[in-house]
Amino acid sequence: MTQTELQDAKTYFSTELLAWYRLQKRDLPWRQNQDPYRVWVSEIMLQQTRVDTVIPYYQAFMAQFPTVQALAEAPEEEVLKRWEGLGYYSRARNLQAGAKMVMEQYGGVIPDSHEAVSGLRGVGPYTSGAIMSIAFNRPYPAVDGNVMRVLSRYFCLEDDIAKPATRVGIEKLAVTLIPEGAAGDFNQALMELGALVCTPKSPGCLTCPVMEHCAGRIAGKETVLPIKTKAKPPRDEYRIVAIVEQEGKVLVRQRPRTGLLAQMWELPHVLLPDTAKAMFAADAPKKQPYMAEALVRETEEASGLFIRPQEWVMDAEHVFSHIHWRLRVFGADMGLIGFPGSVDSRGGGGDIAAESLSAYTTSTATSTMTESVEPTFAGQDGMTYRWIDKADMEKLPFPNVFIRILGQYWGV
């Protein structure tokens, strides 16, 4: 393609795409105005999440935290609870941290400087470009996966989009496409085209407003492009989960302040070694003494409570970007001091791994239950433990997998 042909293709693309967007754009709640805070929240929510999923979360979030100040001053637990179900919870924590920066450094007003916006917590090149273009109509590119796919196909670019250098090259190309005075609409048009027409697996070329000059379609590569090396699949982790019930309440704990699912609440669970894979096979028995032994031992060491596993409740799984949790869930109650099969000195050091789960079902009629524990207490692992009922679920933020487990357990 000559330089003249390339410039003609660029002009055609920008003109036709912008006209199409202005006629066809969806009526989305974050497009009601150009308030930079509304744009910022929407762009963070839309990372890794579909528009249809985001809409109700966005509306509820903005109703509860309508301003930067409201978000900055809210308790973190309330922010996480409102984010509950969207996943990637570090987005919510970073968004709130960024709001606090705006309050402290810019008097509560989101700056219209690209450098300042890029310096906010959790704001990367794409988000800063989106805020600057959509909220302030500045000619900055907003290049995400949708945009890289569209431009790779239209210009028949065969570089691996998983490589940082390719992203940088596409960002430079995108800048040259932005029509003067229409940065916000153009960047949203690119996103819209990628979301609705130039989709990953089945591009709708016949309805595409720029199909005539799409080099990828002309070359017959519209379903091949973009080129992207596959990421490593998430590694499997095998975990045993305890639903410990006492007087109608269930034991939960709060995760540490940093790391995966930071400060979310969860059911106590134990990580098993990779050799446990065979125990999770479809034809393997649900109840296995080794699992019960690990659950008793690790739960006591972590919380200081001596529990007694009872029946298998369900299997569940949850996929993170880099980890695949495979969970086996058991119901349990408060255990007995010295019940048969105990592995600590109080019970004689029996070998649970060689016994059946019946070792954990000693009749309470002939035994004495452990003393009551406080509603909220610190575990020996430093985590906060708490006994909750169904009503408490409305206040505490939980990862989706534990919402599903407790929902099934309680019949919600």
Side-chain angles (χ1 to χ4, degrees), residues 42-348:
S42 70
E43 291 300 335
I44 297 299
M45 283 191 169
L46 287 164
Q47 293 172 10
Q48 308 290 329
T49 312
R50 295 174 58 86
V51 167
D52 291 345
T53 300
V54 166
I55 289 175
Y57 284 97
Y58 177 82
Q59 292 171 325
F61 192 91
M62 295 305 299
Q64 187 167 351
F65 313 112
T67 64
V68 173
Q69 183 175 356
L71 177 59
E73 295 177 353
E76 182 176 295
E77 196 166 80
E78 288 185 12
V79 176
L80 292 175
K81 183 63 181 177
R82 181 52 63 197
W83 202 274
E84 184 182 80
L86 272 178
Y88 300 95
Y89 292 95
S90 61
R91 295 181 297 172
R93 285 185 287 272
N94 286 338
L95 180 60
Q96 186 177 35
K100 290 178 180 179
M101 291 176 67
V102 170
M103 293 301 299
E104 295 166 1
Q105 299 178 24
Y106 305 106
V109 178
I110 295 175
D112 62 356
S113 158
H114 184 256
E115 181 180 0
V117 168
S118 298
L120 297 176
R121 181 76 174 269
V123 175
Y126 167 78
T127 305
S128 62
I131 293 172
M132 293 306 299
S133 61
I134 299 171
F136 302 112
N137 206 24
R138 304 287 181 80
Y140 288 94
V143 175
D144 65 355
N146 274 340
V147 171
M148 287 195 287
R149 181 172 63 254
V150 169
L151 296 185
S152 290
R153 286 172 176 169
Y154 184 80
F155 291 100
C156 201
L157 307 176
E158 299 186 67
D159 295 324
D160 183 358
I161 65 170
K163 295 181 177 179
T166 302
R167 174 183 284 273
V168 171
I170 291 178
E171 286 175 346
K172 292 179 179 178
L173 171 61
V175 171
T176 68
L177 300 172
I178 299 174
E180 185 175 355
D185 278 358
F186 178 76
N187 280 345
Q188 290 181 92
L190 265 174
M191 301 170 198
E192 198 92 330
L193 188 69
L196 301 180
V197 180
C198 197
T199 53
K201 295 182 180 179
S202 302
C205 295
L206 295 179
T207 60
C208 178
V210 295
M211 66 169 288
E212 185 176 339
H213 289 285
C214 177
R217 180 192 64 81
I218 292 170
K221 297 181 178 180
E222 68 274 14
T223 59
V224 176
L225 296 172
I227 304 299
K228 183 179 181 180
T229 53
K230 292 185 178 180
K232 291 182 179 179
R235 71 177 188 275
D236 287 330
E237 285 190 356
Y238 302 92
R239 294 175 178 264
I240 306 299
V241 181
I243 302 180
V244 186
E245 186 168 343
Q246 177 177 256
E247 298 177 358
K249 294 195 172 186
V250 166
L251 182 68
V252 296
R253 68 186 182 189
Q254 189 174 31
R255 293 180 67 86
R257 293 190 62 84
T258 58
L260 183 68
L261 301 174
Q263 290 203 281
M264 302 290 284
W265 290 83
E266 64 182 6
L267 292 166
H269 53 95
V270 174
L271 174 64
L272 299 179
D274 291 342
T275 52
K277 178 178 181 179
M279 300 181 187
F280 283 74
D283 57 351
K286 299 296 185 184
K287 302 178 185 178
Q288 300 199 32
Y290 172 78
M291 294 183 181
E293 176 188 9
L295 196 56
V296 171
R297 181 183 63 251
E298 298 293 337
T299 302
E300 184 181 15
E301 289 179 1
S303 67
L305 298 181
F306 205 48
I307 70 167
R308 182 174 58 182
Q310 298 286 350
E311 293 297 315
W312 169 79
V313 174
M314 62 183 292
D315 282 352
E317 59 184 89
H318 188 74
V319 181
F320 301 94
S321 59
H322 59 297
I323 302 172
H324 184 179
W325 277 3
R326 298 185 181 275
L327 308 175
R328 180 148 297 167
V329 185
F330 287 94
D333 59 22
M334 294 297 293
L336 308 176
I337 301 227
F339 71 86
S342 170
V343 292
D344 84 12
S345 60
R346 295 172 298 182

